[in-house]
Amino acid sequence: MELRKLTYSNVDEVLALTVREEQKEFVASNEYSLVDAYIALSNGGCAQPFGIYEGEEPVGFVMFGYGTLDDSDEPQIAAGNYCLWRFMIEQKHQGRGLGKKALQACLDYLQTRPLGPAEYCWLSYEPENEAAKSLYKKFGFAENGQMCGEEIVAVRKL
């Protein structure tokens, strides 16, 4: 499992990745995520989008944030910490344990503190998204009582 920076040679294959229809209410499209990344970067924020690959096969997408974006919906934990901003596994690759492998690769990457020092990684998910809640809990993410808009925030020490 490998995280690869987006380039002109792989962006189209990463943008083509989608989740199942019933999951679309829980996960922003990869196109929208890249718009978020552009807005964050052009306003002095941090965003790192990656394709998730197994061998040469693109199987997912992840995007990390760092620190705050001056967004009124941001939880307090955002300041000085990493955010697992977006995370998806392509629909045809789901159910094979790749989400677990990919999440471990993400956490291993964040352990290197690529954008600066931090104590925590946080993420958020829709209250109805039981699959995400279960996966993140297995990796030590715990709800901290904060919200990010309408989403539940969970935090893990790096």
Side-chain angles (χ1 to χ4, degrees):
M1 189 65 53
E2 177 185 4
L3 305 181
R4 293 187 191 167
K5 287 187 178 183
L6 295 185
T7 65
Y8 289 115
S9 64
N10 72 356
V11 69
D12 288 335
E13 63 189 18
V14 172
L15 288 175
L17 303 175
T18 60
V19 294
R20 295 189 309 261
E21 192 63 38
E22 65 272 14
Q23 296 170 316
K24 289 183 179 178
E25 66 184 285
F26 299 135
V27 181
S29 70
N30 295 342
E31 292 89 348
Y32 190 82
S33 294
L34 292 183
V35 170
D36 275 347
Y38 172 80
I39 292 169
L41 292 168
S42 66
N43 287 283
C46 292
Q48 282 193 322
F50 291 91
I52 302 171
Y53 283 76
E54 181 163 68
E56 293 306 309
E57 181 81 15
V59 298
F61 173 82
V62 65
M63 187 163 76
F64 306 109
Y66 178 72
T68 60
L69 297 172
D70 293 326
D71 181 345
S72 62
D73 284 342
E74 283 182 316
Q76 289 177 332
I77 192 72
N81 288 301
Y82 286 93
C83 175
L84 184 61
W85 195 351
R86 297 285 158 66
F87 181 76
M88 64 83 74
I89 299 297
E90 211 281 331
Q91 59 183 323
K92 71 181 180 182
H93 296 290
Q94 293 179 11
R96 299 177 27 214
L98 297 182
K100 292 180 188 96
K101 287 172 65 175
L103 188 52
Q104 186 61 59
C106 291
L107 294 171
D108 290 346
Y109 174 71
L110 292 179
Q111 290 288 348
T112 70
R113 311 302 200 275
L115 297 169
E119 187 175 353
Y120 297 101
C121 175
W122 70 277
L123 51 79
S124 64
Y125 49 84
E126 299 284 342
E128 304 83 21
N129 193 344
E130 291 295 328
K133 179 180 180 175
S134 175
L135 174 65
Y136 298 140
K137 188 174 182 178
K138 289 176 187 171
F139 280 83
F141 285 91
E143 295 175 7
N144 70 349
Q146 296 178 26
M147 299 291 285
C148 183
E150 300 295 317
E151 296 185 345
I152 296 169
V153 171
V155 177
R156 178 189 190 276
K157 196 167 182 103
L158 285 175

